[in-house]
Amino acid sequence: KAGVTQTPRYLIKTRGQQVTLSCSPISGHRSVSWYQQTPGQGLQFLFEYFSETQRNKGNFPGRFSGRQFSNSRSEMNVSTLELGDSALYLCASSPTQVEYGGEKLFFGSGTQLSVL
Amino acid sequence: GDSVTQMEGPVTLSEEAFLTINCTYTATGYPSLFWYVQYPGEGLQLLLKATKADDKGSNKGFEATYRKETTSFHLEKGSVQVSDSAVYFCALISDTGRRALTFGSGTRLQVQP
């Protein structure tokens, strides 16, 4: 069974640009969550999608957005990039919404975004 | 809001040494508690969990006991191996409010042969 796949693995952008990250969940998983990981702030929850609907959202500005497609694949978009957006972005999939089974999260290897 | 505090790393140990990584939490209600591990270049993997007070989670020789009176969930292993070198994250999910995983800052463990 294939794991959670995130693409691309590395990304370099400049300030002001926008970026789209992709996540393919484990087959059969309907929930996709996104986290930002930085050395200073650790792992911070961005949002969770389940059945194409955003079910939960963290405390990030509106520049961070996401969506989920009918095949459960998810994309995350960051507009008007800032230097502080440099981070490892992790995607995690789950067969159910996280609040009903947080231990069933499976993480991808992440996309390392560098903003110059 | 919910929060998780972990001891700062890195923690450097020799092979076969005893490991303790401290974790304390603040949460409303009765959270479920987790330890995740991140090996170099990989995503996080669930290591163990406990869903109610006095529960002990265990896996691969690691153990942690949910202590509600001290709001703690310390990770222990009796004899570490070089292959245990990784970053360990304590996390919780509350049963009230915004029900998403809240992670600690992570503790890097380095085991030397």
Side-chain angles (χ1 to χ4, degrees), chain A residues 32-89:
Chain A
V32 173
S33 299
W34 289 89
Y35 287 82
Q36 181 195 65
Q37 186 178 14
T38 60
Q41 299 295 321
L43 274 157
Q44 294 187 286
F45 171 70
L46 282 154
F47 28 67
E48 178 189 6
Y49 285 86
F50 182 83
S51 294
E52 302 178 65
T53 303
Q54 189 179 91
R55 303 292 179 150
N56 212 341
K57 188 178 188 302
N59 299 321
F60 278 80
R63 300 186 296 108
F64 292 82
S65 63
R67 59 178 175 169
Q68 186 179 36
F69 303 95
S70 59
N71 61 358
S72 294
R73 191 177 71 84
S74 177
E75 288 182 346
M76 191 191 90
N77 185 274
V78 188
S79 62
T80 319
L81 283 166
E82 301 177 0
L83 296 179
D85 297 334
S86 295
L88 179 67
Y89 289 88

Side-chain angles (χ1 to χ4, degrees), chain B residues 93-109:
Chain B
I93 183 165
S94 180
D95 62 349
T96 61
R98 190 193 78 205
R99 301 185 63 191
L101 276 169
T102 298
F103 286 90
S105 56
T107 302
R108 181 175 300 278
L109 170 65

Side-chain angles (χ1 to χ4, degrees), chain A residues 9 35 37 39 41-43 45 48 56-59 88 90 98-110, chain B residues 32 34 36 38 40-46 48-49 51 87 89 93-94 97-106:
Chain A
R9 186 70 180 92
Y35 287 82
Q37 186 178 14
Q41 299 295 321
L43 274 157
F45 171 70
E48 178 189 6
N56 212 341
K57 188 178 188 302
N59 299 321
L88 179 67
L90 291 169
V98 171
E99 65 175 299
Y100 299 121
E103 70 272 22
K104 297 187 182 69
L105 273 183
F106 293 82
F107 283 81
S109 300
Chain B
S32 294
F34 308 90
Y36 279 83
Q38 185 177 33
E42 298 183 14
L44 279 73
Q45 304 173 28
L46 177 67
L48 54 83
K49 65 170 178 136
T51 56
V87 181
F89 292 90
I93 183 165
S94 180
R98 190 193 78 205
R99 301 185 63 191
L101 276 169
T102 298
F103 286 90
S105 56

